[in-house]
Every structure is written in C-alpha cells, then in structure tokens.
C-alpha cells in the first residue's frame, strides 16, 4: 500500500510564529510527526519583524518543513525576495507567485499567491486573470490530467457556499475571488485551503462530474482556516492524511461520500466560457520553473544551427526587469549594501548572507539576469575577470575555490564561490564529492569540456545546476523535475 502522508494546513499567521510553532510542537508531541505545514493567507503582518528576525538569522528553527504563500498587501512584499519561490529561513520556504509543487511522495500541490487584481500587470502582491489562465493552461496540458491533490490560495473562491452548509456570517456570493473559483473548478483539487476571512469553514465535499452524464471523478473538499491565535478560539490548524492520487486505486479515488453536494462553480464556469476569448499566440503561457519544465524548453532562442550568430543580438538585449522585489539587483532597495565587496561595470562581488565560511562570496550581475546563459558578452567577460581575480586571491591564502550556480527557483543569477584548503582538497576530491552526493540522490552530473561555454549545453529558460573548479573543470546537471535547493551547500 502507498504510504499515507500526514499534513497540517494553517490560516493567516500574521507574524505570530511562536504561537503557531508552539501549537505544532504540542500536536506533534501528542499525535506524532507530520510531514509538512502548508500556510495560506498572510504569513507576515505589520509587526512581524521582531519574531521573524530570530528565524531569519537561524537563532530559531521551524519544527516542521513549512511552505507559505506570498504577500497579500504592499507592506509585506519585502519579505519575499524572489517571485519564483525561495527559502526564507531554515525549514520555511516561499512557494512562489503561482505554480505546482510536486513532493517526493508524488503529492501535487498547486498554489496561487496574493489577492485578485483586475489590473494588468497585477501588483506584486496580487494575481490577475492572465496568471490564472497561464497556471490552468500549464497544468491542464499535462497528459491524462485528472486534478491536483491540494490547492492553496489566500482568498476564498466566490460562491463556494452554493448547494452547501452555511458559512456562518460570511456571504459567499459577495466574498472571495471569481478567479479562484475558476481555478478550483478547472484544477479539481481534492483539498482546497484558503484564509483571509478570519473564520473557519469546512464545506461539504462537492462533485467534479455531472451525475449520469460524465464518468465519476474524485470529490473536492474546501476548508477555510481562521487566523493564528485568534481570541474566538476558531480553528486555524487542520490536520489531514492523504495518499497522492497518482498512487491510488482509481475505484477508491472516485468513491462518493454520502454527504457529497453539487459543484458550486459549475454555473459560473459555464457563464465565463461563453464570454471568454481564447488566449492569443502572444500570450502563450510563460515557463515558470515550478511547472512546464519541458514543454517550452528553448522557445526563447530557436536554434538555426548558427550558434555564433547569436552573440550580437544577445549583446544588444537589455536585461529583463524583475517582476517583484529582488534582493540582488544593485539598484534595488532590497540589496544589503553593507555586504558588497567590489563593484565593476556590469557585475559586483558580495559576501554571502548565509555564508558557509566567512570568505564565501557571490559574483552577481548588476542588471537583472536569470542565469549565466542569459548574460550578454560584456557581462560574461567581467564575470571571467572576477573569477581570475578570486582564483589569485584565494591561492595567495592557500585555498582553491569551488563555484556553483543553481538556475532553478531563483530569480537573479548568483554564482556562489566557496574557498576550500588547497592542501586538503584536490580538484579530484571535490569532483568525487559532488558526483557521489549526486548519485545518492539520483542526480546525473556530467563533466563537460573545460573550454566549453555553458551556453553550448543549456538554452535560456532551461533549469540546471552547474559546478566549476578554479582549474576550469566543470560539472553540469539539466534539471528535469524536482531538485534539492541546497544540494551545492550540502556537498
């Protein structure tokens, strides 16, 4: 039998981390270990900084892997440095603006951060109709798509209370987002969690098929959670067990409970389809690294077999602008400028914020580039100068450097440069360590020719992990699914 995974879901935390994690510890003390905590609604509040500082600096640690959604207002956007998702503190991960998180167990969690906006482009703390359309298009194009295991949104879906038990004082005809209803209707989550309304509401399960007209499908359960530590003692933590649908017996999956109701979104979805124009070719869903990893691979730069001809157009191209706050764009207020060591024309050098060693440094482009593959030729030239300077500097201190880049769930190119003692680590030792750790985790690390350019093996938009030694030796892994975010640090 497939392993049942035990999860916790939580409503608006609003910075009350001690209350939340104290409660989680108490639950785990009584009921045993849970695999994951999923937080919907506002994780940070206006007074979060004092409690958060202890977790951000590592003085305190979340007792369970915690996954959170992004900001719901302008004030808290600065807590989320990377729209495509990133680790915020040990055991606390921001999932990203929108996408699909696939756990190692096969569990599929779709997520959409922020509140609904009618503006295009939406503010950093909101999602628009285009965001929802692109997320739907990306997931619905998967072969044999039946639905997702879990959907996480901050707002409630509009009309969720239709055909169901009362939502108390909440008027579900006026509250929540129509876009979230549309998303839930299309993605057919087995569990849908939301917050923001400061109340607990567990809706009766609803059908995802029309009786006698369509093949039976699994039911969906919508659960809204209250805010952490609320004085009314409304439920803000929800424990549940789930087997990924991909591992379930189909007959077991589609069993209908006795209290199942009609689908609350069926009517509004039909109305939307009548008025909605199809996506134009220009609005082809963007490739976010949490999903669609293979489908759009390389579309940004179609190869015509003349690789050398690309350099001129590439050089003329301006770096794209970040879609939200970026901690690494030098012009950004988010940059911690006291960490900056040296500024060149196109690149700069900074100490790592959570460095493995005191002299762990980063080489970063001043402009907003996603990866080495996207760099213009003059930026590549300056990166190379910084590498040579660092090699000479570390060698004078009896060290050699190991450089790596993770172009996956990162927004701004960061080349991590870590010095190791020359007398204790040969380049062979370092390569063997990377390859051995990779094999343990079923990661294929290939050695690529010393004088080859990374752009020859990876196209723009391709997620990858890349290691370079100061001898010029290089290892490369093309990421095709999940990848451990801290692989380089662990090695």
């Amino acid at each position: 039998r497939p392993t049942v995974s035990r999860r916790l879901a939580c409503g608006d935390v609003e910075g009350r981390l001690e209350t939340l994690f104290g409660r989680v510890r108490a639950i785990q003390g009584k009921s045993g270990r849970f695999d994951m905590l999923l937080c919907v609604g506002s994780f940070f509040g206006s007074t979060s900084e004092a409690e958060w500082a202890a977790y951000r600096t590592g003085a305190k640690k979340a007792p369970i892997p915690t996954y959170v959604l992004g900001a719901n207002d302008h004030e808290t956007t600065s807590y989320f440095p990377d729209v495509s998702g990133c680790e915020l503190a040990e055991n606390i991960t921001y999932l990203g603006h929108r996408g699909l998180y696939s756990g190692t167990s096969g569990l599929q969690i779709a997520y959409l951060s922020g509140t609904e906006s009618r503006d295009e482009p939406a503010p950093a703390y909101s999602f628009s109709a285009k965001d929802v359309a692109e997320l739907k298009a990306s997931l619905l194009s998967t072969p044999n798509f039946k639905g997702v295991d879990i959907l996480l949104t901050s707002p409630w879906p509009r009309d969720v209370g239709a055909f169901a038990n009362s939502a108390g004082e909440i008027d579900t005809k006026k509250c929540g987002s129509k876009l979230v209803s549309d998303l839930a209707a299309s993605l057919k989550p087995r569990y849908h969690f939301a917050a923001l309304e400061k109340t607990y509401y567990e809706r009766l399960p609803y059908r995802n098929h029309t009786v006698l007209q369509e093949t039976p499908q699994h039911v969906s359960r919508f659960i809204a959670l209250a805010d952490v530590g609320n004085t009314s003692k409304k439920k803000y933590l929800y424990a549940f067990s789930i087997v990924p649908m991909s591992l379930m017996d189909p007959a077991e999956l589609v069993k209908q409970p006795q209290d199942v109701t009609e689908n609350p979104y069926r009517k509004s979805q039909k109305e939307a389809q009548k008025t909605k124009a199809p996506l134009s070719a220009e609005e082809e869903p963007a490739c976010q690294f949490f999903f669609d990893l293979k489908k759009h691979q390389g579309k940004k730069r179609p190869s015509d077999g003349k690789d050398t001809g690309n350099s001129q157009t590439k050089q003329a191209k301006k770096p794209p602008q970040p879609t939200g706050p970026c901690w690494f764009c030098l012009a950004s207020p988010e940059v911690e400028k006291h960490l900056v060591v040296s500024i060149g024309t196109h690149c700069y050098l900074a100490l790592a914020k959570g460095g493995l060693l005191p002299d762990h440094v980063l080489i970063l482009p001043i402009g907003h580039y996603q990866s080495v593959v996207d760099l213009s030729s003059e930026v590549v030239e300056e990166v190379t100068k910084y590498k040579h300077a660092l090699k000479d500097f570390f060698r004078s201190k009896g060290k050699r450097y190991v450089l790596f880049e993770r172009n996956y769930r990162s927004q701004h190119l960061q080349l991590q440069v870590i010095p190791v003692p020359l007398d204790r680590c040969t380049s062979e030792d370092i390569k063997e360590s990377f390859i051995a750790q990779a094999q343990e985790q079923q990661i294929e690390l290939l050695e690529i020719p010393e004088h080859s350019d990374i752009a020859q093996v990876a196209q723009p938009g391709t997620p990858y992990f890349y290691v370079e030694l100061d001898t010029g030796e290089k290892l490369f892994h093309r990421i095709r699914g999940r990848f451990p975010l801290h692989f380089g640090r662990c090695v």
Side-chain angles (χ1 to χ4, degrees), residues 120-163:
E120 290 278 8
Y125 53 89
S126 295
F127 56 85
S128 64
K130 191 177 177 198
D131 286 315
V132 171
E134 289 179 358
L135 179 51
K136 277 169 52 180
S138 168
L139 297 179
L140 297 175
S141 63
T142 314
N144 305 318
F145 178 80
K146 290 186 178 71
V148 295
D149 293 299
I150 299 169
L151 173 62
L152 305 176
T153 63
S154 287
W156 288 30
R158 178 73 58 87
D159 283 324
V160 69
F163 312 117

Side-chain angles (χ1 to χ4, degrees), residues 320-470:
Q321 294 309 299
T323 50
C326 178
W327 281 1
F328 300 107
C329 285
L330 197 55
S332 165
E334 278 79 20
V335 167
E336 304 209 16
K337 296 194 169 64
H338 65 284
L339 296 172
V340 175
V341 175
S342 155
I343 302 176
T345 312
H346 306 288
C347 301
Y348 71 100
L349 198 68
L351 290 170
K353 196 174 176 184
L356 291 166
L357 298 156
D359 44 4
H360 173 175
V361 291
L362 308 177
I363 304 172
L364 302 132
I366 290 170
H368 189 77
Y369 292 93
Q370 173 91 37
S371 73
V372 163
V373 178
D374 297 309
L375 296 179
S376 62
S377 55
E378 66 260 72
V379 186
V380 171
E381 198 177 314
E382 199 165 285
V383 166
T384 308
K385 280 184 183 173
Y386 266 121
K387 285 183 194 171
H388 289 320
L390 286 170
K391 177 181 177 175
D392 292 346
F393 169 70
F394 286 131
R395 290 283 172 123
S396 75
K397 304 286 180 192
K399 299 174 185 178
R400 68 166 79 244
Y401 76 62
V402 183
L403 176 148
F404 64 84
E405 178 199 357
R406 169 175 54 79
N407 179 32
Y408 169 75
R409 286 169 66 177
S410 57
Q411 188 190 3
H412 189 113
L413 164 64
Q414 301 156 56
L415 295 177
Q416 308 275 346
V417 184
I418 295 140
V420 294
L422 261 175
D423 55 351
R424 284 186 303 190
C425 299
T426 67
S427 63
E428 282 309 305
D429 292 335
I430 296 163
K431 278 199 295 185
E432 277 173 26
S433 297
F434 270 100
I435 290 163
Q437 285 269 12
Q439 282 172 343
E440 257 181 53
Q441 299 192 48
Q442 281 86 48
I443 294 166
E444 186 185 31
L445 262 184
L446 302 171
E447 191 155 357
I448 59 174
E450 281 179 39
H451 302 292
S452 67
D453 177 1
I454 188 98
Q456 292 169 306
V457 289
Q459 292 184 310
T462 302
Y464 62 81
F465 177 81
Y466 159 68
V467 185
E468 186 178 318
L469 307 186
D470 69 357

Side-chain angles (χ1 to χ4, degrees), residues 100-109 290 482:
L100 182 75
Y101 175 93
S102 297
T104 47
S105 65
L107 198 73
Q108 296 211 306
I109 304 170
F290 274 39
R482 300 283 302 139

Side-chain angles (χ1 to χ4, degrees), residues 119-316:
D119 297 329
E120 290 278 8
Y125 53 89
S126 295
F127 56 85
S128 64
K130 191 177 177 198
D131 286 315
V132 171
E134 289 179 358
L135 179 51
K136 277 169 52 180
S138 168
L139 297 179
L140 297 175
S141 63
T142 314
N144 305 318
F145 178 80
K146 290 186 178 71
V148 295
D149 293 299
I150 299 169
L151 173 62
L152 305 176
T153 63
S154 287
W156 288 30
R158 178 73 58 87
D159 283 324
V160 69
F163 312 117
N165 47 320
S166 165
E169 293 169 4
I170 307 293
D171 182 353
T172 60
K173 288 180 181 173
K174 292 177 183 170
C175 138
S177 159
K178 284 184 179 177
L179 289 176
V180 170
S181 302
D182 180 26
L183 187 65
S186 298
L187 299 192
K188 300 171 189 159
R190 292 163 68 204
Y191 284 89
H192 178 184
F193 294 99
L196 298 183
E197 300 299 334
K198 313 283 189 197
T199 193
Y200 168 69
Y201 172 52
E202 185 167 357
R203 190 204 185 280
L204 290 170
Y206 63 83
R207 291 187 196 95
N208 283 301
H209 65 277
T210 307
V211 179
L212 301 176
Q213 288 180 34
E214 295 172 316
T215 312
Q217 294 184 46
H218 61 269
V219 299
S220 292
R221 289 175 165 84
F222 172 75
I223 296 125
L225 294 161
D227 48 321
V228 168
N230 67 84
T231 50
S232 318
K233 301 245 173 14
K234 290 175 181 171
K235 189 169 177 171
Y236 63 84
L237 259 184
Y238 184 93
F240 65 109
S241 297
I242 186 168
V243 172
M245 70 163 79
S246 57
L247 304 177
M248 282 186 74
D249 170 62
E252 194 70 23
L253 178 66
V254 302
K255 270 189 180 168
Q256 306 291 299
Q258 282 195 318
D259 55 356
V260 69
T261 78
E262 209 47 61
N263 189 309
Y265 317 125
R266 194 53 69 92
K267 190 180 168 191
S268 57
Q269 199 182 27
K270 278 178 184 168
E271 286 168 1
Q273 280 168 352
K274 281 177 194 169
T275 56
K276 200 175 71 176
L279 271 179
S280 69
E282 288 80 17
E283 288 175 305
E284 185 176 3
C287 175
Q288 275 217 338
F289 292 150
F290 274 39
F291 53 72
D292 244 2
L293 298 183
K294 296 169 190 160
K295 203 169 69 150
H296 299 291
Q297 181 191 331
K299 284 257 177 96
K300 290 182 195 164
R301 195 179 81 180
S303 173
D304 54 5
K306 299 175 196 155
D307 273 43
T308 48
N310 282 322
S311 59
Q312 286 308 309
T313 46
K314 220 177 161 192
Q315 195 165 336

